[in-house]
Amino acid sequence: MIVLVVTLAILAMLIVGYRMGVGKALSATGGQARILHSRPGYYGTYTALWCALPACALMALWLIVQPMVIAAMIRGGLPADIRAMPDEDFDLVMTAIRAIAGGTPPSNVEPYMEAAAARIGELEILGQWFMAPLVLIVALAGIYFAIRHIVPDLRARNKVESVVKILLIICSSIAILTTVGIVASVLFEAMNFFSIIPPQDFFFNPVWDPGFARAGEDHTQHDFGLLPLMWGTLFISFIAMCVAAPIGLMSAIYLSEYATSRVRSVAKPLLEILAGIPTVVYGFFALTTMGPFLNTFGDTLGLDIQASSALTAGLVMGIMIVPFVSSLSDDIISQVPQAMRDGSYGMGATRSETITKVVFPAALPGVVGGLLLAVSRAIGETMIVVMAVGAAANLTANPFESVTTVTVMIVKQLTGDNEFSSPQTLVAFALGLTLFVVTLCLNVVALYVVRRYREQYE
Amino acid sequence: MTATMTVESRSSAPAAMPAVDAVKMASRGTEVYYGEKRALHGIDIDVLEHEVLALIGPSGCGKSTFLRCLNRMNDTIDVARVTGEIFIDGKNIYDRDLDVVQLRARVGMVFQKPNPFPKSIFDNIAYGPRIHGLAEHKDELDAVVEKSLRGAGLWEEVKDRLPEPGTGLSGGQQQRLCIARAIAVSPEVILMDEPCSALDPIATAHVEELIDELRQDYTIVIVTHNMQQAARVSQKTAFFHLGDLVEHGATEEIFTNPRDERTQGYITGRYG
Ligand SMILES: Nc1ncnc2c1ncn2[C@@H]1O[C@H](COP(=O)(O)OP(=O)(O)OP(=O)(O)O)[C@@H](O)[C@H]1O
Ligand SMILES: [Mg+2]
């Protein structure tokens, strides 16, 4: 509550500071804006930044440090026997106290806990009452400082722009750091897994049979083989690409070379609607329509096609990727300069000769890059396969049998009720890491190829 | 060839011409519309065999549009519509039964900006012969490539680097590669749309010399903004203005003694 009020107050002061900055800059030159080093608005922004940045930094710091200080104070106030507890139990007590203070008391509340929780509440309010005036004073001091410094020669624009640049750098490093954090956490858990199961038993084991975790059990009787899962993933992706590559490319060629602009303006958005369908919807299309259909269709041909076969998932996934392939290839084919086509038509080539012999070869590197991106999407796709394929980890080349994929098993192992530290759960991180590395490599190669292609025509 | 002409030549008096000046292509009442907008108003002109016809005129007057009519390149533009008649050896190229693929094999085109395909030098030249089935065997193809490159005056420079990409050549070399590519299918007429506008003076001189040599075997129509170039390479000149063919005739006539004052204004540099 107090935080909200303080924030609003800073906001108001920021606006006032802006006005004051502009006013000071103008009055310092007697109203002649041309003498100023920067345009008046920059002096306003300069003042506003001095008002808001230190105050906000102080507030953020305070809000981070305050709970730590309070925790330390609470700890000192607890009975001696509680303080003597081992670390793990003590952490549980602290969690319970925090829960009481937060208004969701656990079942076993003891009197000393309630006392501590009440004290937390008091301290928090006290802390915030200290913080509010301090922050506001800093904000005011910022304005005062900035206003005092405004003279016509002040390089306000350069200062504002360097602050903006720093803010932008901070934002982009947040994105990068998040990625690093995700990779690090997956890596960390995967290391835990590999300390229980040696890597060669994961990467080169043709059997997947993780079983269930039981206390005090020897894990070596279970099999955590990556191969059948990776095979399933690649197999389904391959089927998907067999569907998506020709259909996507042909429709891209039609759209970019044959379609009149009227057809194009209707067909392209329609194709892109396909890309907007949530994958879970494709999932139940596979589950309720495609699977049974292929099953009965197989019966009429005398083939035994399982409803949850690799074929089902591959076909549906292929349909999902079609718009991705086609819109990417369409962009790339349209980038081939018109001069190439004119040159070919001018030689008396027909439209199809022009496309197959000039336009498509010219676009090929980019198209290949686009297909690689599509493959990495297929490999990482989860929802369709979770719904459409079974959990049978078969190492089979028969598309009518069911296989399972890396992503399906990640979901299954993580949502199962195995203990978190068991290899049965941790294997999900090893699988995730493998998947991450594979798709990362594909993406890097694909982006490199596409970029090389772009440069060729720029 | 004049005997088979279905259209009488109006612009130049055929009787006064020597026999070699047979009419190769003729345009009668050609009009072009881009959507509603009329870009060419009834063009009547003849192109004589083994002659270079230069098309000049201020920007946007329809020179490229007319040139593109001669091998029906305007077909590739959705909004363009052509009416009137254009004849090659007396046959209307806009007839239903005329195959545009064969027409373009007979009437080749070189563009303003060099546009070699992103293929090897060899494949650039071999492209046309291959799609028209002109050379069946590798050695036939080799011979055609060499002949075309020699014809374009490029053979000595590139004979050792035929497998290298055509896009790796210099601008002037690329343009001569495009000319070689056009003559590889042995066309009868070559259309050139400002072929030297992207080239430096030396490369331009190369191409101009080449045009003069090519005249022995081909009929050439060239668009140019460069008056000296028109004077140097062409025997006939046509002046376009705002979609009209204002005046055409022997190059010398046009440049020394223009009949229309718009022509005079343009060639003396008063506007354009
Ligand atoms: N694809 C097109 N769509 C619509 N209008 C066009 C198109 N191409 C040309 N035009 C119009 O037709 C007219 C003649 O154009 P054209 O390209 O033939 O001129 P040009 O004489 O070759 O000019 P320049 O010397 O600048 O090349 C111009 O007014 C132009 O705007
Ligand atoms: Mg032009």
Side-chain angles (χ1 to χ4, degrees), chain A residues 77-157:
Chain A
L78 287 178
D81 56 328
I82 305 287
R83 267 187 286 163
M85 278 182 171
D87 273 356
E88 280 177 31
D89 296 340
F90 185 78
D91 283 348
L92 284 179
V93 169
M94 286 304 285
T95 314
I97 293 175
R98 256 181 240 120
I100 301 169
T104 49
S107 48
N108 52 340
V109 179
E110 312 218 4
Y112 74 87
M113 290 187 180
E114 289 200 329
R119 181 134 173 74
I120 286 193
E122 285 165 22
L123 285 175
E124 271 180 353
I125 294 195
L126 190 68
Q128 293 192 345
W129 277 116
F130 266 109
M131 177 194 75
L134 214 61
V135 167
L136 293 182
I137 287 171
V138 169
L140 279 177
I143 294 183
Y144 176 73
F145 177 84
I147 293 288
R148 276 234 349 231
H149 271 79
I150 291 180
V151 286
D153 283 347
L154 180 73
R155 301 168 150 248
R157 171 165 40 78

Side-chain angles (χ1 to χ4, degrees), chain A residues 4 19 78 105 129 148 183 209 234 336 341 345 356 365:
Chain A
L4 183 70
R19 303 244 148 191
L78 287 178
W129 277 116
R148 276 234 349 231
V183 174
D209 180 18
L234 295 179
V336 175
R341 299 184 181 88
Y345 290 136
T356 53

